[in-house]
Amino acid sequence: MANALRIGLAGLGTVGTGVIQLVEENRALISRRAGRPIEITAITARDRSKDRGVDLTPYRWVDDMGELATAPDVDVVVELVGGSDGPALTLARETLGASRALVTANKAMIAHHGAELGALADAKGAPLKFEAAVAGGIPVIQGLRDGAAANRIDRVYGILNGTCNFILSAMERDGRDFAEVLSDAQAKGFAEADPSFDIDGVDAAHKLSILASLSFGSRIDFDGVDIRGIRKIIAADIAQAQALGYRIRLIGLAEVDGENGGSSLYQRVQPCLVPIDHPLANVTGATNAVVAEGNFSGRLLFQGAGAGDRPTASAVVADLVDIARKETGPAFSVPTAELEELPRATAAHRINKTYLRMLVADRPGVLAEIAAAMRDAGLSIESLIQREVGDGSALIAMVTHEAREQAVTDTLAALKGSDSLQGEPMVMHILGE
């Protein structure tokens, strides 16, 4: 059997220790499948004295993680430190700059600096692998880069954040409001103490921008993602959506837009109403799911555990097996220099059905005022539910017929400042087929 592939591991959180456990527990199986042993030779983390529940004595401890980039007993650096910049980015640059392979689970770093790192990897002939950066243990990167390589992907979308899906599923199941379910999710370890990146959609946007690049052969444009999270969803939204035949999910969606004869990139993360018979409507708990639509393959669905130490460690080691087999290729399917710089598409011309929820004054004429604003904007109602909520207020939830999103924007602009509205309306588009 060939010489061992020697690993330098930076970061010993739950994923890092999971990588150690997986490599040790499945050592013989991994060696057979990789065609050579995979051995961890050097490790580093912020705190050497911390008890991590695994035996670290077999591995050489490195105090300065930068040493891994040039250490003579390291062939591949695994970066599990996290953060879009700082030590993680420095280590990535130094590793690839030394013509050494890099495996990372760092979605923020790839979303912000993927083009730079990909170009450096191409120039140095060094593999750059990041399966674990998107959807945990689901092999969606490999599926898009390799399995669907012969297809033109026109749209990629899905449930990309397990915390949000856990919260929305619990609200759906228990009829509770967002704040109460979030607190419960934090107590159970499904949400961070500061959950902002998750519940505000940033984590999902990192992943979406990476998926878009792989799907469309375009340069990553994280700043071009229109991001809206789930903080403003209330129990009434969940109930009204169910009554109308939908479930609410945080959806990341990217597609190439051909409006006006050109190609532009549309990327959005937002809560959507998903038809009850759509595959994503039945994805519950902390599960992730990604749908890619190929022109020959049709709809491809990737579903599974989107986070957690074991699934993410599995994705990291899968990348190591590919490197051991010398199955690498360009990080983004094509050489980084060939990735297209697609302009950003706007939402105004997009045609959707839309869910609108408004808290209004419970008095005659309010619904007529709303209907008039919709009529003037070219927006019509497909279905509507109205109920009293007490204290002189009523809740109106409606689904519109298909119309340009600009019509929704114009309707809300016409109603802005009206004393009939009590609070900001909630807008969620409906995921089309």
PDB file of all heavy atoms in Angstrom, residues 55-67:
ATOM      1  N   ASP A  55      -8.236  11.022  23.172  1.00  0.00           N
ATOM      2  CA  ASP A  55      -6.824  10.924  23.511  1.00  0.00           C
ATOM      3  C   ASP A  55      -5.995  11.630  22.439  1.00  0.00           C
ATOM      4  O   ASP A  55      -5.961  11.203  21.281  1.00  0.00           O
ATOM      5  CB  ASP A  55      -6.417   9.451  23.610  1.00  0.00           C
ATOM      6  CG  ASP A  55      -4.960   9.284  24.008  1.00  0.00           C
ATOM      7  OD1 ASP A  55      -4.324  10.282  24.402  1.00  0.00           O
ATOM      8  OD2 ASP A  55      -4.458   8.137  23.908  1.00  0.00           O
ATOM      9  N   LEU A  56      -5.315  12.706  22.824  1.00  0.00           N
ATOM     10  CA  LEU A  56      -4.525  13.484  21.883  1.00  0.00           C
ATOM     11  C   LEU A  56      -3.037  13.159  21.958  1.00  0.00           C
ATOM     12  O   LEU A  56      -2.247  13.723  21.191  1.00  0.00           O
ATOM     13  CB  LEU A  56      -4.732  14.985  22.138  1.00  0.00           C
ATOM     14  CG  LEU A  56      -6.170  15.508  22.037  1.00  0.00           C
ATOM     15  CD1 LEU A  56      -6.201  17.001  22.332  1.00  0.00           C
ATOM     16  CD2 LEU A  56      -6.779  15.219  20.667  1.00  0.00           C
ATOM     17  N   THR A  57      -2.658  12.262  22.853  1.00  0.00           N
ATOM     18  CA  THR A  57      -1.230  11.988  23.044  1.00  0.00           C
ATOM     19  C   THR A  57      -0.530  11.388  21.817  1.00  0.00           C
ATOM     20  O   THR A  57       0.685  11.586  21.663  1.00  0.00           O
ATOM     21  CB  THR A  57      -1.014  11.077  24.261  1.00  0.00           C
ATOM     22  OG1 THR A  57      -1.773   9.858  24.084  1.00  0.00           O
ATOM     23  CG2 THR A  57      -1.459  11.773  25.541  1.00  0.00           C
ATOM     24  N   PRO A  58      -1.235  10.683  20.916  1.00  0.00           N
ATOM     25  CA  PRO A  58      -0.509  10.140  19.753  1.00  0.00           C
ATOM     26  C   PRO A  58      -0.076  11.196  18.735  1.00  0.00           C
ATOM     27  O   PRO A  58       0.667  10.881  17.806  1.00  0.00           O
ATOM     28  CB  PRO A  58      -1.525   9.177  19.114  1.00  0.00           C
ATOM     29  CG  PRO A  58      -2.513   8.880  20.170  1.00  0.00           C
ATOM     30  CD  PRO A  58      -2.609  10.136  20.974  1.00  0.00           C
ATOM     31  N   TYR A  59      -0.537  12.441  18.887  1.00  0.00           N
ATOM     32  CA  TYR A  59      -0.322  13.432  17.847  1.00  0.00           C
ATOM     33  C   TYR A  59       0.615  14.538  18.328  1.00  0.00           C
ATOM     34  O   TYR A  59       0.579  14.952  19.486  1.00  0.00           O
ATOM     35  CB  TYR A  59      -1.666  14.049  17.415  1.00  0.00           C
ATOM     36  CG  TYR A  59      -2.748  13.020  17.240  1.00  0.00           C
ATOM     37  CD1 TYR A  59      -3.837  12.959  18.107  1.00  0.00           C
ATOM     38  CD2 TYR A  59      -2.659  12.059  16.232  1.00  0.00           C
ATOM     39  CE1 TYR A  59      -4.814  11.990  17.966  1.00  0.00           C
ATOM     40  CE2 TYR A  59      -3.637  11.090  16.085  1.00  0.00           C
ATOM     41  CZ  TYR A  59      -4.710  11.059  16.961  1.00  0.00           C
ATOM     42  OH  TYR A  59      -5.667  10.085  16.822  1.00  0.00           O
ATOM     43  N   ARG A  60       1.428  15.023  17.423  1.00  0.00           N
ATOM     44  CA  ARG A  60       2.350  16.117  17.741  1.00  0.00           C
ATOM     45  C   ARG A  60       1.570  17.419  17.868  1.00  0.00           C
ATOM     46  O   ARG A  60       0.826  17.797  16.974  1.00  0.00           O
ATOM     47  CB  ARG A  60       3.409  16.236  16.637  1.00  0.00           C
ATOM     48  CG  ARG A  60       4.453  17.330  16.880  1.00  0.00           C
ATOM     49  CD  ARG A  60       5.573  17.229  15.853  1.00  0.00           C
ATOM     50  NE  ARG A  60       5.133  17.558  14.509  1.00  0.00           N
ATOM     51  CZ  ARG A  60       5.090  18.797  14.009  1.00  0.00           C
ATOM     52  NH1 ARG A  60       5.437  19.832  14.770  1.00  0.00           N
ATOM     53  NH2 ARG A  60       4.712  19.001  12.755  1.00  0.00           N
ATOM     54  N   TRP A  61       1.744  18.111  19.004  1.00  0.00           N
ATOM     55  CA  TRP A  61       1.061  19.383  19.227  1.00  0.00           C
ATOM     56  C   TRP A  61       1.890  20.517  18.651  1.00  0.00           C
ATOM     57  O   TRP A  61       3.091  20.609  18.882  1.00  0.00           O
ATOM     58  CB  TRP A  61       0.813  19.630  20.713  1.00  0.00           C
ATOM     59  CG  TRP A  61       0.012  20.883  20.957  1.00  0.00           C
ATOM     60  CD1 TRP A  61       0.477  22.157  21.049  1.00  0.00           C
ATOM     61  CD2 TRP A  61      -1.409  20.973  21.098  1.00  0.00           C
ATOM     62  NE1 TRP A  61      -0.556  23.044  21.240  1.00  0.00           N
ATOM     63  CE2 TRP A  61      -1.718  22.344  21.276  1.00  0.00           C
ATOM     64  CE3 TRP A  61      -2.437  20.031  21.091  1.00  0.00           C
ATOM     65  CZ2 TRP A  61      -3.029  22.789  21.459  1.00  0.00           C
ATOM     66  CZ3 TRP A  61      -3.740  20.480  21.267  1.00  0.00           C
ATOM     67  CH2 TRP A  61      -4.027  21.842  21.446  1.00  0.00           C
ATOM     68  N   VAL A  62       1.231  21.406  17.914  1.00  0.00           N
ATOM     69  CA  VAL A  62       1.884  22.567  17.318  1.00  0.00           C
ATOM     70  C   VAL A  62       1.297  23.820  17.974  1.00  0.00           C
ATOM     71  O   VAL A  62       0.080  24.013  17.955  1.00  0.00           O
ATOM     72  CB  VAL A  62       1.639  22.603  15.790  1.00  0.00           C
ATOM     73  CG1 VAL A  62       2.202  23.876  15.189  1.00  0.00           C
ATOM     74  CG2 VAL A  62       2.244  21.380  15.130  1.00  0.00           C
ATOM     75  N   ASP A  63       2.135  24.644  18.560  1.00  0.00           N
ATOM     76  CA  ASP A  63       1.636  25.848  19.221  1.00  0.00           C
ATOM     77  C   ASP A  63       1.247  26.938  18.224  1.00  0.00           C
ATOM     78  O   ASP A  63       0.300  27.690  18.446  1.00  0.00           O
ATOM     79  CB  ASP A  63       2.700  26.398  20.191  1.00  0.00           C
ATOM     80  CG  ASP A  63       2.866  25.504  21.414  1.00  0.00           C
ATOM     81  OD1 ASP A  63       1.837  25.050  21.957  1.00  0.00           O
ATOM     82  OD2 ASP A  63       4.013  25.249  21.816  1.00  0.00           O
ATOM     83  N   ASP A  64       1.969  27.036  17.133  1.00  0.00           N
ATOM     84  CA  ASP A  64       1.680  28.021  16.094  1.00  0.00           C
ATOM     85  C   ASP A  64       1.071  27.294  14.900  1.00  0.00           C
ATOM     86  O   ASP A  64       1.754  26.551  14.193  1.00  0.00           O
ATOM     87  CB  ASP A  64       2.970  28.737  15.682  1.00  0.00           C
ATOM     88  CG  ASP A  64       2.741  29.761  14.571  1.00  0.00           C
ATOM     89  OD1 ASP A  64       1.574  29.949  14.158  1.00  0.00           O
ATOM     90  OD2 ASP A  64       3.729  30.359  14.115  1.00  0.00           O
ATOM     91  N   MET A  65      -0.222  27.516  14.656  1.00  0.00           N
ATOM     92  CA  MET A  65      -0.880  26.763  13.588  1.00  0.00           C
ATOM     93  C   MET A  65      -0.255  27.024  12.223  1.00  0.00           C
ATOM     94  O   MET A  65      -0.349  26.192  11.322  1.00  0.00           O
ATOM     95  CB  MET A  65      -2.387  27.045  13.568  1.00  0.00           C
ATOM     96  CG  MET A  65      -2.788  28.394  13.023  1.00  0.00           C
ATOM     97  SD  MET A  65      -4.577  28.515  12.742  1.00  0.00           S
ATOM     98  CE  MET A  65      -5.194  28.375  14.416  1.00  0.00           C
ATOM     99  N   GLY A  66       0.385  28.161  12.051  1.00  0.00           N
ATOM    100  CA  GLY A  66       1.038  28.453  10.787  1.00  0.00           C
ATOM    101  C   GLY A  66       2.115  27.456  10.420  1.00  0.00           C
ATOM    102  O   GLY A  66       2.433  27.282   9.238  1.00  0.00           O
ATOM    103  N   GLU A  67       2.660  26.755  11.425  1.00  0.00           N
ATOM    104  CA  GLU A  67       3.688  25.748  11.156  1.00  0.00           C
ATOM    105  C   GLU A  67       3.149  24.593  10.314  1.00  0.00           C
ATOM    106  O   GLU A  67       3.911  23.919   9.605  1.00  0.00           O
ATOM    107  CB  GLU A  67       4.255  25.205  12.463  1.00  0.00           C
ATOM    108  CG  GLU A  67       5.058  26.213  13.273  1.00  0.00           C
ATOM    109  CD  GLU A  67       5.583  25.599  14.559  1.00  0.00           C
ATOM    110  OE1 GLU A  67       5.710  24.355  14.609  1.00  0.00           O
ATOM    111  OE2 GLU A  67       5.845  26.360  15.511  1.00  0.00           O
TER     112      GLU A  67
END
